[in-house]
Structures are given as structure tokens and as C-alpha cells.
Amino acid sequence: MGLMALFRRTPPSASVAKERLRIIVAQERSGRGGPDYLPLLRRELLEVIRKYVKVEPDAVKVHVEREEGHDVLELSVSLPGKAGS
Amino acid sequence: MTEIIVVTSGKGGVGKTTTSASLSCGLARKGKKVAVIDFDIGLRNLDLIMGCERRVVYDFVNVIQGDCTLKQALIKDKRLETLHVLAASQTRDKDALTAEGVRRVLDELAAEGFDYIICDSPAGIEKGAHLAMYYADRAVVVVNPEVSSVRDSDRILGLLASKTERAEKGNGGVKEHLLLTRYSPRRVAAGEMLSVADVKEILGLDVIGVIPESTDVLTASNAGTPVILNEGSDVSEAYTDAVERLLGTELPLRFVDEPKKGFFARMFGG
């Protein structure tokens, strides 16, 4: 620290805090909001589907969208492409 | 109609109890019948802030367990006729508080004609904090303009939106408000502290009050006088405004801008 510190340009710490918070809060929000049963639901669905089709463990995606007044449970299952096609 | 308001934050030491005490005093001063309940089982402190620590005979857990009646446990405030305090138990038994027990006490208070029940939540996201928010109609989320407090508040907002009776039953959810404490307009102006607008933007909530950083808060707690009763101080005025907003009055925020310095202060660095 010395006179030179006066001339060094560092961003105000509050804007650094704001940026960090914006990122971490967005990240943490995206990981919640879904009901607690989602992981179990996903696992059981995967087991059922695997009885009939051979799919990858990450083939089943379960997602809850919050819309005006109601929630939408979205399921997507990607099936393996036909061999050779 | 009884309205249940939880004062919560996630992080400790941000001013939940100070806020609970001042909001309940402010509401009682407006003639409302108010009960303020300490949910911090094992770490009772609201009684000290309210200045009634020597009058605690029975506590919240005693009422739940049927050791006494609710009337016996409610401590009538000596300053405000319509204000009542229910102290937390000092037991170390974490299971002393039950959802049914809390429900019963809240129902009984409602039947007694209380207008407001203020639930002073403990820090954290454990059972006490969960039960303090579970039956709430509204939430006052106390936050310091500081990274860990803001992040924890967001976590609490997530819980309010999922782990409350209103959220579970789909009754429109808990109405949430932000209350900033320990706010320093000078440091905000210097770019050293998150501003009201920053916190509001990150958390996406309306602000019901901004309490300036002040030595008056410690002085008031030393004396056992809720700081809102320290008439004329900035903190008292700021809490009084917050109470008005809780009651639905729209007021501009005060104490958020740095006071303009006079000529001498500028010249001589006041």
C-alpha cells in the first residue's frame, strides 16, 4: 500500500459481491423448487423403462415447471437409435 | 382475522429478534393485539430484548406440554397494554416443539382475538426455524447487505415456498417481505456495501424496511427496551415506517441516502 494504491483501479467491492451473488443464487435456485420425490421418481421410472428398452442411466429427465397457479411435471425419455440407421 | 408473521433469515445475528421485538411493539402501539413468540428453543433471548426476562415463569414448551395454560405463560408487556410475549423454553430437548403443539397454541391465540402473532425464528434451517415459518401467512426476511446473509435469505425463501402449510396446501403461498438491517448509506455510496436495489434485485422481493446501522440498537438491547421505543432515533423511525408498510401504507424508504454534508464537514472531513 502506498501512494500507488490511490491510482490503482479496482472495481468497488459491492459490485463484485453483487455479481457473485447473482451467479450463486441463480445456480442454487435452479437446483430446487422441485418436489423432494423427484430423484426417486426418476430412478423408479428408469427401472420400469429398462424392463422394456435398454436406455442409458441419464436417458430419463424429470423436470417441474412452475406456471401461473399450477406446476407442470415434464418427463422426457430419450430412446436409443436403431442400430445401423 | 389473526395474521401470523414469521421473522426469519437463515443466518444468525442479522437482527431477527431485534426486528421481532420492534415490529410487535410497533403493531401494539397502533392498538393491535399482538403476541410475539420466541421459537429459539434452548437459546431464549427475546425476553431479554423485550426486557421481561425476570418475569418468565412458564414458556412455550410448558404450554405445548400442558404444564400450564396459555394465559399463565403469556407475559403482558408493561409499556404496551395489547402486547404479549411467549418465551422460548431453555430445554435442550429438540423434540419439545411439535407441529401439532404449535398449531394448538396459534389456534388458541387466534381464539383469544389476537390480531397479530409474530414468530421470532431461530437461525438455521432446523426444526425450530421450520416450525416458526410453517403456519405463517407472511414472512419478514431479515437480511444484512452482505454476501452470506443474502445467500442464506435466498435459501429461506426457497423453504418458505415449499415447506410451509400455505405452500403445501396451495393457499397462494406465504407473502414475503425483505427487511434490510445494519444498512450504511455512506458505505453504499462508497461502493463498499450492497445497496437496497442490489439486494432487491438479487432476491426479487419487495422491501418493507431499511434499518440504518446504529449504536442505538445495542444501547436499546442493553436496557431491554425494543429499539422502536427509542423515539426520535433513525432506527426507531425506520422500524415505525416498516410497521406502517406491514399495515398496508405506502411510504417512501428513508435513511437510504447519505446525508448531504455541510460546507464545514466537506472542508474539514466530517
Side-chain angles (χ1 to χ4, degrees):
Chain A
M1 283 291 277
L3 246 184
M4 286 313 288
L6 286 174
F7 300 102
R8 206 187 308 131
R9 281 282 176 100
T10 48
S13 64
S15 54
V16 177
K18 186 181 177 186
E19 207 38 49
R20 291 174 61 216
L21 276 169
R22 223 207 305 256
I23 293 165
I24 193 68
V25 163
Q27 190 190 329
E28 288 176 346
R29 279 185 182 183
S30 70
R32 68 163 182 248
D36 293 343
Y37 59 74
L38 280 190
L40 185 63
L41 175 67
R42 203 190 79 87
R43 204 162 60 232
E44 291 188 4
L45 276 172
L46 187 66
E47 278 166 24
V48 173
I49 292 166
R50 275 183 157 181
K51 280 187 191 171
Y52 304 94
V53 194
K54 203 164 169 252
V55 293
E56 294 297 316
D58 60 353
V60 176
K61 294 207 166 54
V62 180
H63 192 66
V64 175
E65 281 284 310
R66 196 150 289 173
E67 286 176 19
E68 277 297 303
H70 63 279
D71 294 350
V72 177
L73 178 66
E74 217 177 73
L75 299 175
S76 92
V77 184
S78 40
L79 298 175
K82 279 203 182 80
S85 68
Chain B
M1 255 307 277
T2 308
E3 195 160 48
I4 303 171
I5 303 177
V6 60
V7 177
T8 181
S9 73
K11 190 175 181 296
V14 297
K16 282 181 297 294
T17 302
T18 299
T19 298
S20 299
S22 281
L23 293 184
S24 38
C25 278
L27 288 166
R29 211 166 46 180
K30 298 288 280 187
K32 306 290 180 191
K33 193 171 175 189
V34 183
V36 55
I37 307 178
D38 190 348
F39 274 76
D40 204 345
I41 305 303
L43 293 168
R44 173 199 292 167
N45 272 322
L46 177 68
D47 56 336
L48 272 177
I49 302 300
M50 297 293 298
C52 63
E53 70 277 8
R54 295 181 59 188
R55 294 166 58 214
V56 179
V57 180
Y58 294 111
D59 58 54
F60 194 12
V61 169
N62 289 142
V63 182
I64 288 177
Q65 295 181 339
D67 305 332
C68 66
T69 63
L70 176 61
K71 223 178 211 123
Q72 286 174 304
L74 282 177
I75 304 164
K76 224 164 155 277
D77 188 84
K78 296 232 172 178
R79 296 154 296 217
L80 294 154
E81 190 139 326
T82 57
L83 178 59
H84 299 75
V85 181
L86 186 52
S89 160
Q90 288 290 43
T91 175
R92 291 171 63 184
D93 176 13
K94 278 188 185 158
D95 297 322
L97 220 53
T98 60
E100 310 78 64
V102 172
R103 176 81 269 177
R104 244 188 303 118
V105 173
L106 296 177
D107 285 346
E108 202 176 326
L109 287 169
E112 289 288 323
F114 278 87
D115 298 307
Y116 288 94
I117 302 170
I118 309 291
C119 302
D120 182 20
S121 173
I125 51 173
E126 298 297 314
K127 195 171 187 183
H130 169 66
L131 288 176
M133 71 168 68
Y134 190 73
Y135 297 107
D137 299 306
R138 291 164 91 176
V140 173
V141 179
V142 182
V143 54
N144 286 172
E146 172 273 324
V147 286
S148 45
S149 174
V150 175
R151 182 203 213 166
D152 289 358
S153 298
D154 192 61
R155 182 101 171 82
I156 287 295
L157 292 176
L159 296 176
L160 284 166
S162 60
K163 305 276 187 240
T164 51
E165 190 184 50
R166 275 179 167 270
E168 286 171 4
K169 290 195 173 161
N171 290 344
V174 178
K175 173 100 185 79
E176 302 147 340
H177 311 276
L178 277 185
L179 187 131
L180 271 82
T181 54
R182 310 200 66 167
Y183 196 74
S184 166
R186 184 187 62 75
R187 304 197 73 186
V188 171
E192 298 169 0
M193 183 181 264
L194 292 165
S195 68
V196 182
D198 291 340
V199 178
K200 201 171 155 179
E201 187 188 322
I202 294 161
L203 296 176
L205 279 192
D206 77 304
V207 175
I208 201 157
V210 177
I211 313 301
E213 166 87 75
S214 166
T215 53
D216 293 338
V217 175
L218 180 62
T219 314
S221 80
N222 285 343
T225 309
V227 66
I228 195 173
L229 300 179
N230 180 6
E231 314 244 352
S233 69
D234 287 0
V235 174
S236 163
E237 305 254 311
Y239 270 122
T240 304
D241 283 5
V243 169
E244 288 294 338
R245 292 189 198 101
L246 262 184
L247 292 168
T249 313
E250 285 195 26
L251 289 175
L253 289 175
R254 291 196 282 166
F255 316 109
V256 292
D257 295 315
E258 195 178 17
K260 292 264 186 300
K261 279 187 180 173
F263 173 73
F264 281 100
R266 264 184 295 155
M267 289 302 284
F268 303 110

